[in-house]
Amino acid sequence: MVRINSWKWVPEDCDLNRVDSVRFLGLMRNKNIGFVGDSLNENFLVSFLCILRVADAGTKKWKRKGAWRGAYFPKFNVTVAYHRAVLLAKYEWQPQQPQLSDKDGDGGIYRVDIDIPADDWANIADFYDVLVFNTGHWWGYDKFPKEKPLVFFEGGKPIHPPLEMFDGFKVVLENMVAHIEKVFPKRILKFWRLQSPRHFHGGDWNQNGSCLFDEPLGELQLDLWFDPSNNGVNKEARQLNRLIESALKGTSIRTLDLTHMSEFRADAHPAIWLGKKDAVSVWGQDCMHWCLPGVPDTWVDILTQLIGYSLETE
């Protein structure tokens, strides 16, 4: 674990400085930043808060407007918060229903309304000035097995024929992007963070997959790990990115592509150091989230520079 921060990502042909928390919060004065999505966006948020809090000794916890967690910086009147919405669309468990009897389901299904945003972020359009969206890590049969499947609804009715997982992901993306474009004011600076790569070696998280590495991967190893044509356990990041990039074309939402730079860092996950007794035996190694300090700190440097450029050129 000690070596995680001995590696630094350096961009080619440009400079990337560490964020100056005081200067950045000064630039953001009277503005708010929101993260919406799954636990990898929460990972991003936690890094952000750790970096920013040194600029304001009066920082307070903040959990309003459906936020899962966040902080308020009174010295600058800035709020930075995370809204947990793992599929972005509204979903809920439902007991099996007669009209869905032709669908797999051990006593019930997870209903996904592709045209309704999750409650956690349904009413934030008038609050934030910068938003970072993501979804992807819950779109797998390890989270929603065929015995308890996702069933997709539109206009309150089940879609027929039923959609498989990736087709459902695509239509949810299209609908959530359309909702953001329609409902969120144009003044809001909107980003969509592409996938954070996983680094399971030898199997998936529930198949004794491991990431006990002490140095990054080499450039020539990346396609072996992540190219979908190799059908490895970490292929979903690039697969989902293609669908996300397609859905974002022609919109006001900017792509925040942190995938490739993060693919190298097989060494930077919690792995077996989960902080809870017996956690590995129950949940397996964590080769998905990131240690902090660590890779998300560089994400913060990139995001804050992009925000700074946008605000300074308004």
Side-chain angles (χ1 to χ4, degrees), residues 136-189:
H137 288 286
W138 280 63
W139 291 87
Y141 291 109
D142 56 330
K143 297 290 187 182
F144 298 103
K146 292 188 176 182
E147 298 77 32
K148 297 179 179 179
L150 296 179
V151 176
F152 300 94
F153 284 64
E154 184 174 18
K157 298 179 180 180
I159 295 174
H160 288 294
L163 301 177
E164 293 299 325
M165 184 77 71
F166 269 20
D167 292 326
F169 177 77
K170 183 177 179 181
V171 296
V172 165
L173 272 180
E174 291 169 350
N175 278 269
M176 292 301 99
V177 167
H179 172 79
I180 294 166
E181 289 285 87
K182 179 181 178 181
V183 174
F184 285 73
K186 294 192 182 302
R187 65 167 181 81
I188 298 176
L189 181 58

Coordinates of all heavy atoms in Angstrom, one line a residue, residues 136-189:
G136 N -22.8 2.4 -14.6 CA -22.2 1.3 -15.3 C -21.8 0.1 -14.4 O -22.0 -1.1 -14.9
H137 N -21.4 0.3 -13.2 CA -20.9 -0.8 -12.4 C -21.9 -1.8 -11.9 O -21.6 -2.9 -11.4 CB -20.0 -0.3 -11.3 CG -18.7 0.2 -11.8 ND1 -17.6 -0.6 -12.2 CD2 -18.2 1.5 -12.0 CE1 -16.6 0.2 -12.6 NE2 -16.9 1.4 -12.5
W138 N -23.2 -1.3 -11.9 CA -24.2 -2.2 -11.5 C -24.9 -3.0 -12.6 O -25.8 -3.8 -12.4 CB -25.3 -1.4 -10.7 CG -24.9 -1.2 -9.3 CD1 -23.8 -0.5 -8.8 CD2 -25.5 -1.7 -8.1 NE1 -23.7 -0.5 -7.5 CE2 -24.8 -1.2 -7.0 CE3 -26.7 -2.4 -7.9 CZ2 -25.2 -1.5 -5.7 CZ3 -27.0 -2.7 -6.6 CH2 -26.3 -2.2 -5.5
W139 N -24.5 -2.7 -13.8 CA -25.1 -3.3 -15.0 C -24.4 -4.6 -15.3 O -23.7 -4.8 -16.3 CB -25.0 -2.3 -16.2 CG -25.9 -1.1 -16.0 CD1 -25.6 0.0 -15.4 CD2 -27.3 -1.0 -16.4 NE1 -26.6 0.9 -15.4 CE2 -27.7 0.3 -16.0 CE3 -28.2 -1.8 -17.1 CZ2 -29.0 0.8 -16.2 CZ3 -29.5 -1.3 -17.3 CH2 -29.8 -0.1 -16.9
G140 N -24.7 -5.6 -14.5 CA -24.1 -6.9 -14.7 C -25.0 -8.0 -14.0 O -25.7 -7.7 -13.1
Y141 N -24.8 -9.2 -14.4 CA -25.6 -10.3 -13.8 C -25.1 -10.7 -12.5 O -25.8 -11.5 -11.8 CB -25.6 -11.5 -14.8 CG -26.4 -11.2 -16.1 CD1 -25.8 -11.1 -17.3 CD2 -27.8 -11.1 -16.0 CE1 -26.5 -10.8 -18.4 CE2 -28.5 -10.8 -17.2 CZ -27.9 -10.7 -18.4 OH -28.6 -10.4 -19.5
D142 N -23.9 -10.2 -12.0 CA -23.5 -10.4 -10.7 C -24.4 -9.6 -9.7 O -24.6 -10.0 -8.6 CB -22.0 -10.1 -10.5 CG -21.7 -8.7 -10.9 OD1 -22.4 -8.1 -11.8 OD2 -20.7 -8.1 -10.4
K143 N -24.8 -8.4 -10.2 CA -25.7 -7.6 -9.3 C -27.2 -7.9 -9.4 O -27.9 -7.9 -8.5 CB -25.5 -6.1 -9.7 CG -24.1 -5.5 -9.5 CD -23.7 -5.4 -8.1 CE -22.4 -4.7 -7.9 NZ -22.0 -4.5 -6.5
F144 N -27.6 -8.3 -10.7 CA -29.0 -8.6 -10.9 C -29.0 -9.9 -11.7 O -29.1 -10.0 -12.9 CB -29.6 -7.5 -11.7 CG -29.7 -6.2 -11.0 CD1 -28.8 -5.2 -11.4 CD2 -30.6 -5.9 -10.0 CE1 -28.8 -3.9 -10.8 CE2 -30.6 -4.7 -9.4 CZ -29.7 -3.7 -9.8
P145 N -28.9 -11.0 -11.0 CA -28.9 -12.4 -11.6 C -30.3 -12.6 -12.3 O -31.3 -12.0 -12.0 CB -28.7 -13.3 -10.5 CG -29.1 -12.6 -9.2 CD -28.8 -11.2 -9.5
K146 N -30.3 -13.6 -13.2 CA -31.5 -13.9 -13.9 C -32.6 -14.4 -13.0 O -33.8 -14.3 -13.4 CB -31.2 -14.9 -15.0 CG -30.3 -14.3 -16.1 CD -30.1 -15.2 -17.3 CE -29.3 -14.6 -18.4 NZ -29.2 -15.4 -19.6
E147 N -32.3 -14.9 -11.8 CA -33.3 -15.3 -10.9 C -34.1 -14.1 -10.3 O -35.2 -14.2 -9.8 CB -32.7 -16.1 -9.7 CG -32.1 -17.4 -10.2 CD -30.7 -17.2 -10.8 OE1 -30.0 -16.2 -10.4 OE2 -30.3 -17.9 -11.7
K148 N -33.4 -12.9 -10.3 CA -34.0 -11.6 -9.9 C -33.6 -10.5 -10.9 O -32.9 -9.7 -10.6 CB -33.5 -11.3 -8.5 CG -33.8 -12.3 -7.4 CD -33.3 -12.0 -6.0 CE -33.7 -13.0 -5.0 NZ -33.2 -12.7 -3.7
P149 N -34.2 -10.6 -12.0 CA -33.8 -9.8 -13.2 C -34.2 -8.4 -13.2 O -35.2 -8.0 -12.5 CB -34.4 -10.6 -14.4 CG -35.7 -11.1 -13.8 CD -35.4 -11.5 -12.4
L150 N -33.6 -7.6 -14.0 CA -34.1 -6.3 -14.3 C -35.1 -6.4 -15.4 O -34.9 -7.1 -16.4 CB -32.9 -5.4 -14.9 CG -31.8 -5.0 -13.9 CD1 -30.8 -4.2 -14.7 CD2 -32.3 -4.3 -12.7
V151 N -36.3 -5.8 -15.2 CA -37.3 -5.8 -16.2 C -37.6 -4.3 -16.5 O -37.9 -3.5 -15.6 CB -38.6 -6.5 -15.7 CG1 -39.7 -6.4 -16.8 CG2 -38.3 -8.0 -15.5
F152 N -37.6 -3.9 -17.8 CA -37.6 -2.5 -18.1 C -39.0 -2.1 -18.5 O -39.7 -2.8 -19.3 CB -36.6 -2.3 -19.3 CG -35.2 -2.6 -18.9 CD1 -34.7 -3.9 -19.2 CD2 -34.4 -1.7 -18.3 CE1 -33.4 -4.2 -18.8 CE2 -33.1 -2.0 -17.9 CZ -32.6 -3.2 -18.1
F153 N -39.4 -0.9 -18.0 CA -40.7 -0.4 -18.2 C -40.6 1.0 -18.9 O -39.6 1.7 -18.7 CB -41.5 -0.1 -16.9 CG -42.0 -1.4 -16.3 CD1 -41.2 -2.4 -15.8 CD2 -43.4 -1.5 -16.1 CE1 -41.7 -3.5 -15.2 CE2 -43.9 -2.7 -15.5 CZ -43.1 -3.7 -15.0
E154 N -41.6 1.3 -19.7 CA -41.6 2.6 -20.4 C -43.1 3.1 -20.4 O -44.0 2.3 -20.7 CB -41.1 2.6 -21.8 CG -41.0 4.0 -22.5 CD -40.4 3.9 -23.8 OE1 -40.3 2.8 -24.4 OE2 -40.0 5.0 -24.3
G155 N -43.3 4.3 -19.9 CA -44.7 4.8 -19.8 C -45.5 4.0 -18.9 O -46.7 3.9 -19.0
G156 N -44.9 3.4 -17.9 CA -45.6 2.6 -16.9 C -45.9 1.2 -17.3 O -46.5 0.4 -16.5
K157 N -45.5 0.8 -18.5 CA -45.8 -0.6 -19.0 C -44.5 -1.3 -19.3 O -43.6 -0.7 -19.8 CB -46.7 -0.5 -20.2 CG -48.0 0.2 -19.9 CD -48.9 0.2 -21.2 CE -50.2 0.9 -20.9 NZ -51.1 1.0 -22.2
P158 N -44.5 -2.6 -19.1 CA -43.3 -3.4 -19.4 C -43.0 -3.4 -20.9 O -43.9 -3.4 -21.7 CB -43.6 -4.8 -18.9 CG -45.1 -4.9 -18.8 CD -45.6 -3.5 -18.5
I159 N -41.7 -3.3 -21.3 CA -41.3 -3.3 -22.7 C -41.3 -4.7 -23.2 O -40.8 -5.6 -22.6 CB -39.9 -2.7 -22.8 CG1 -39.9 -1.2 -22.4 CG2 -39.4 -2.8 -24.2 CD1 -38.6 -0.6 -22.4
H160 N -42.0 -4.9 -24.3 CA -42.0 -6.2 -25.0 C -41.5 -6.1 -26.4 O -41.8 -5.2 -27.1 CB -43.5 -6.8 -25.0 CG -44.0 -7.2 -23.7 ND1 -43.5 -8.3 -23.0 CD2 -45.0 -6.7 -22.9 CE1 -44.1 -8.4 -21.9 NE2 -45.1 -7.4 -21.8
P161 N -40.6 -7.1 -26.8 CA -40.1 -8.2 -26.0 C -39.2 -7.6 -24.9 O -38.6 -6.6 -25.1 CB -39.4 -9.1 -27.0 CG -39.0 -8.1 -28.1 CD -40.1 -7.1 -28.2
P162 N -39.0 -8.4 -23.8 CA -38.1 -7.9 -22.7 C -36.7 -7.7 -23.2 O -36.2 -8.4 -24.1 CB -38.2 -9.1 -21.7 CG -39.4 -9.8 -22.1 CD -39.6 -9.7 -23.5
L163 N -36.1 -6.6 -22.6 CA -34.7 -6.3 -23.0 C -33.7 -7.0 -22.2 O -33.9 -7.2 -21.0 CB -34.5 -4.8 -22.8 CG -35.4 -3.8 -23.6 CD1 -35.1 -2.4 -23.2 CD2 -35.2 -4.0 -25.1
E164 N -32.6 -7.4 -22.8 CA -31.5 -8.0 -22.1 C -30.7 -6.8 -21.5 O -30.9 -5.6 -21.7 CB -30.6 -8.8 -23.0 CG -31.2 -10.0 -23.6 CD -31.6 -11.0 -22.5 OE1 -30.9 -11.1 -21.4 OE2 -32.7 -11.7 -22.6
M165 N -29.7 -7.2 -20.6 CA -29.0 -6.2 -19.8 C -28.4 -5.0 -20.6 O -28.7 -3.8 -20.3 CB -27.9 -6.9 -19.0 CG -27.1 -6.0 -18.0 SD -28.1 -5.7 -16.5 CE -28.0 -7.3 -15.7
F166 N -27.6 -5.3 -21.6 CA -26.9 -4.2 -22.4 C -27.9 -3.4 -23.2 O -27.7 -2.2 -23.3 CB -25.8 -4.8 -23.3 CG -24.5 -4.8 -22.6 CD1 -24.4 -4.8 -21.2 CD2 -23.3 -4.9 -23.3 CE1 -23.2 -4.9 -20.6 CE2 -22.1 -4.9 -22.7 CZ -22.0 -4.9 -21.3
D167 N -29.0 -4.0 -23.7 CA -30.0 -3.2 -24.4 C -30.7 -2.3 -23.4 O -31.1 -1.2 -23.8 CB -31.0 -4.2 -25.1 CG -30.4 -4.9 -26.2 OD1 -29.5 -4.4 -26.9 OD2 -30.7 -6.1 -26.4
G168 N -31.0 -2.8 -22.2 CA -31.6 -2.0 -21.2 C -30.7 -0.8 -20.8 O -31.2 0.3 -20.6
F169 N -29.4 -1.1 -20.7 CA -28.5 0.0 -20.4 C -28.5 1.1 -21.4 O -28.5 2.3 -21.1 CB -27.0 -0.6 -20.3 CG -25.9 0.4 -20.1 CD1 -25.7 0.9 -18.8 CD2 -25.1 0.8 -21.1 CE1 -24.7 1.8 -18.6 CE2 -24.1 1.7 -20.9 CZ -23.9 2.2 -19.6
K170 N -28.6 0.7 -22.7 CA -28.6 1.6 -23.8 C -29.8 2.5 -23.8 O -29.7 3.7 -23.9 CB -28.5 0.9 -25.1 CG -28.4 1.8 -26.3 CD -28.3 1.0 -27.6 CE -28.2 1.9 -28.8 NZ -28.1 1.1 -30.1
V171 N -31.0 1.9 -23.5 CA -32.2 2.8 -23.5 C -32.3 3.6 -22.3 O -32.8 4.8 -22.4 CB -33.5 1.9 -23.7 CG1 -33.5 1.2 -25.0 CG2 -33.7 0.9 -22.6
V172 N -31.8 3.1 -21.2 CA -31.8 4.0 -20.0 C -30.8 5.2 -20.2 O -31.2 6.3 -19.9 CB -31.3 3.2 -18.7 CG1 -30.9 4.1 -17.6 CG2 -32.4 2.3 -18.3
L173 N -29.7 4.9 -20.8 CA -28.7 6.0 -21.1 C -29.4 7.1 -22.0 O -29.4 8.3 -21.7 CB -27.5 5.5 -21.9 CG -26.3 5.0 -21.2 CD1 -25.3 4.5 -22.2 CD2 -25.7 6.1 -20.3
E174 N -30.1 6.6 -23.1 CA -30.7 7.5 -24.0 C -31.8 8.4 -23.3 O -31.9 9.6 -23.5 CB -31.3 6.7 -25.2 CG -30.3 6.1 -26.1 CD -30.8 5.1 -27.0 OE1 -32.0 4.7 -26.9 OE2 -30.1 4.6 -27.9
N175 N -32.6 7.7 -22.4 CA -33.6 8.4 -21.8 C -33.1 9.4 -20.7 O -33.6 10.5 -20.5 CB -34.6 7.5 -21.1 CG -35.6 6.9 -22.1 OD1 -36.7 7.5 -22.3 ND2 -35.3 5.9 -22.8
M176 N -32.1 9.0 -20.0 CA -31.5 9.9 -18.9 C -30.8 11.1 -19.5 O -30.9 12.2 -19.0 CB -30.6 9.1 -18.0 CG -31.3 8.0 -17.1 SD -32.6 8.7 -16.0 CE -34.1 8.3 -17.0
V177 N -30.1 10.8 -20.6 CA -29.4 11.9 -21.3 C -30.5 12.9 -21.8 O -30.3 14.1 -21.7 CB -28.6 11.4 -22.5 CG1 -28.1 12.5 -23.4 CG2 -27.3 10.7 -21.9
A178 N -31.6 12.4 -22.4 CA -32.6 13.2 -22.9 C -33.3 14.0 -21.8 O -33.6 15.2 -21.9 CB -33.7 12.4 -23.6
H179 N -33.4 13.4 -20.6 CA -34.0 14.1 -19.5 C -33.1 15.2 -19.0 O -33.6 16.3 -18.7 CB -34.2 13.1 -18.3 CG -34.6 13.7 -17.0 ND1 -35.9 14.1 -16.8 CD2 -33.8 14.0 -15.9 CE1 -35.9 14.7 -15.5 NE2 -34.7 14.6 -15.0
I180 N -31.8 15.0 -18.9 CA -30.8 16.0 -18.5 C -30.9 17.2 -19.5 O -30.9 18.3 -19.1 CB -29.4 15.4 -18.4 CG1 -29.4 14.4 -17.3 CG2 -28.4 16.5 -18.2 CD1 -28.1 13.5 -17.4
E181 N -30.9 16.9 -20.8 CA -30.9 17.9 -21.8 C -32.2 18.8 -21.7 O -32.2 20.0 -21.9 CB -30.8 17.3 -23.2 CG -29.4 16.7 -23.5 CD -28.4 17.9 -23.8 OE1 -27.8 18.3 -22.8 OE2 -28.2 18.2 -24.9
K182 N -33.3 18.1 -21.4 CA -34.6 18.8 -21.3 C -34.8 19.6 -20.1 O -35.3 20.7 -20.1 CB -35.7 17.8 -21.5 CG -37.1 18.4 -21.5 CD -38.2 17.3 -21.6 CE -39.6 18.0 -21.5 NZ -40.6 16.9 -21.7
V183 N -34.4 19.1 -18.9 CA -34.8 19.6 -17.6 C -33.7 20.5 -17.0 O -34.0 21.5 -16.3 CB -35.1 18.5 -16.6 CG1 -35.4 19.0 -15.2 CG2 -36.4 17.7 -17.2
F184 N -32.4 20.2 -17.2 CA -31.4 20.9 -16.6 C -31.0 22.1 -17.4 O -30.8 22.0 -18.6 CB -30.1 20.0 -16.4 CG -30.3 19.0 -15.2 CD1 -31.2 17.9 -15.4 CD2 -29.7 19.2 -14.0 CE1 -31.4 17.0 -14.4 CE2 -29.8 18.3 -13.0 CZ -30.7 17.2 -13.2
P185 N -30.9 23.3 -16.7 CA -30.6 24.5 -17.4 C -29.3 24.5 -18.2 O -28.4 23.8 -17.8 CB -30.5 25.6 -16.3 CG -31.3 25.0 -15.2 CD -31.1 23.5 -15.3
K186 N -29.2 25.2 -19.3 CA -28.0 25.2 -20.1 C -26.8 25.8 -19.4 O -25.7 25.5 -19.8 CB -28.3 25.9 -21.5 CG -29.3 25.2 -22.3 CD -29.3 25.8 -23.7 CE -30.4 25.1 -24.6 NZ -30.2 23.7 -24.7
R187 N -27.1 26.6 -18.4 CA -26.0 27.3 -17.7 C -25.1 26.3 -16.9 O -24.0 26.5 -16.5 CB -26.5 28.3 -16.7 CG -27.4 27.7 -15.6 CD -27.7 28.7 -14.4 NE -28.5 28.0 -13.4 CZ -28.0 27.2 -12.5 NH1 -26.7 26.9 -12.4 NH2 -28.8 26.6 -11.6
I188 N -25.7 25.1 -16.6 CA -25.0 24.1 -15.8 C -23.9 23.4 -16.7 O -24.2 23.0 -17.8 CB -26.0 23.0 -15.3 CG1 -27.0 23.6 -14.4 CG2 -25.2 21.9 -14.5 CD1 -28.1 22.6 -13.9
L189 N -22.7 23.3 -16.1 CA -21.6 22.6 -16.7 C -21.8 21.1 -16.4 O -21.7 20.7 -15.2 CB -20.3 23.2 -16.2 CG -19.0 22.6 -16.7 CD1 -18.9 22.8 -18.3 CD2 -17.8 23.2 -16.1

